[in-house]
Amino acid sequence: MGFTIGGIREMRSGARRRHRGTAGTAVAEYTGLWGWAVRPGARAAAGACSCGDADCPAPGAHPLDFAAEVPAGTGLDRAADAWAGTPGAAMLLPVGRAFDVLEVAEQAGRRAVVRMERMGLPPGPVAVTPTGRAQFFVAPGAAAELPALLYRMGWDDARLDLRALGPGAYVTAPPSDLGGLGPVRWLRTPALDTAAAPPQARLLLGTLAYVCHRS
């Protein structure tokens, strides 16, 4: 099945070759180098989602039902071949397997990264979205633990702009477009150690909560 945006079919031989050389390579980096699965996702243009549902609740920000994910550990050739079947798809990363995500306002996230690095606490991978959010990749389990961790630390302010994403959620991987609003970018790129073993949420949460509260 081809991938369409606005009814225009994008699965052409030339587009497929270009996709294999660019997006396919990026997918292979996520699966083969960082050990993360990648799921083809919908795209959005002018507010319309490529899934074709006029009432789509999350235009350009959800997996494509018909497209299989590329498993973690897939090498370059197999990843590129698999991704060539959905040219134009966004790269989505499933949360709750290799990592959970702590999400804060971008300004607070940038301040937190600087503060952590000054304290000798490497933040791990951090992405920023065109919607003004910073996404910290942390060890799995953070979403379930967050309420208890905040309570023990005394951060029970309902206005704290901090949320966790866990199993069942997806985040858009750089440099894919998020909902037609622009690309997601890395604030701190993955490294071999932090991709395989992202930091525990408790190691970062104090700084994140502090800067969010101050903001």
Side-chain angles (χ1 to χ4, degrees):
M1 180 178 292
F3 180 75
T4 61
I5 295 180
I8 301 176
R9 191 173 182 86
E10 293 190 339
M11 188 180 292
R12 298 186 177 95
S13 59
R16 182 183 290 263
R17 287 192 296 272
R18 289 192 299 273
H19 191 80
R20 177 166 181 157
T22 54
T25 301
V27 171
E29 180 177 347
Y30 286 123
T31 59
L33 189 58
W34 309 132
W36 300 339
V38 182
R39 179 80 182 270
R43 298 288 293 272
C49 186
S50 62
C51 70
D53 183 356
D55 298 318
C56 179
H62 65 85
L64 292 169
D65 292 337
F66 62 83
E69 79 174 22
V70 184
T74 304
L76 175 60
D77 289 340
R78 291 182 61 190
D81 286 343
W83 205 255
T86 52
M91 293 178 286
L92 302 184
L93 305 175
V95 183
R97 301 181 195 175
F99 56 83
D100 278 8
V101 170
L102 295 181
E103 184 182 277
V104 299
E106 180 179 346
Q107 182 180 15
R110 290 181 178 274
R111 292 173 56 196
V113 167
V114 172
R115 185 178 178 90
M116 289 172 194
E117 292 177 339
R118 286 176 178 171
M119 296 170 62
L121 296 173
V126 185
V128 292
T129 75
T131 57
R133 305 292 289 176
Q135 297 175 330
F136 288 74
F137 288 44
V138 296
E145 297 170 359
L146 182 63
L149 287 172
L150 288 174
Y151 179 79
R152 287 200 298 269
M153 297 172 66
W155 295 103
D156 57 356
D157 189 340
R159 295 173 299 175
L160 196 64
D161 189 12
L162 169 66
R163 71 180 186 125
L165 304 176
Y170 289 84
V171 292
T172 301
S176 286
D177 177 90
L178 175 62
L181 300 175
V184 178
R185 304 183 185 278
W186 287 117
L187 179 59
R188 290 295 182 272
T189 57
L192 289 175
D193 54 346
T194 59
Q200 296 291 326
R202 60 182 173 78
L203 299 177
L204 311 181
L205 195 54
T207 302
L208 287 174
Y210 174 79
V211 298
C212 288
H213 185 77
R214 296 274 294 183
S215 296

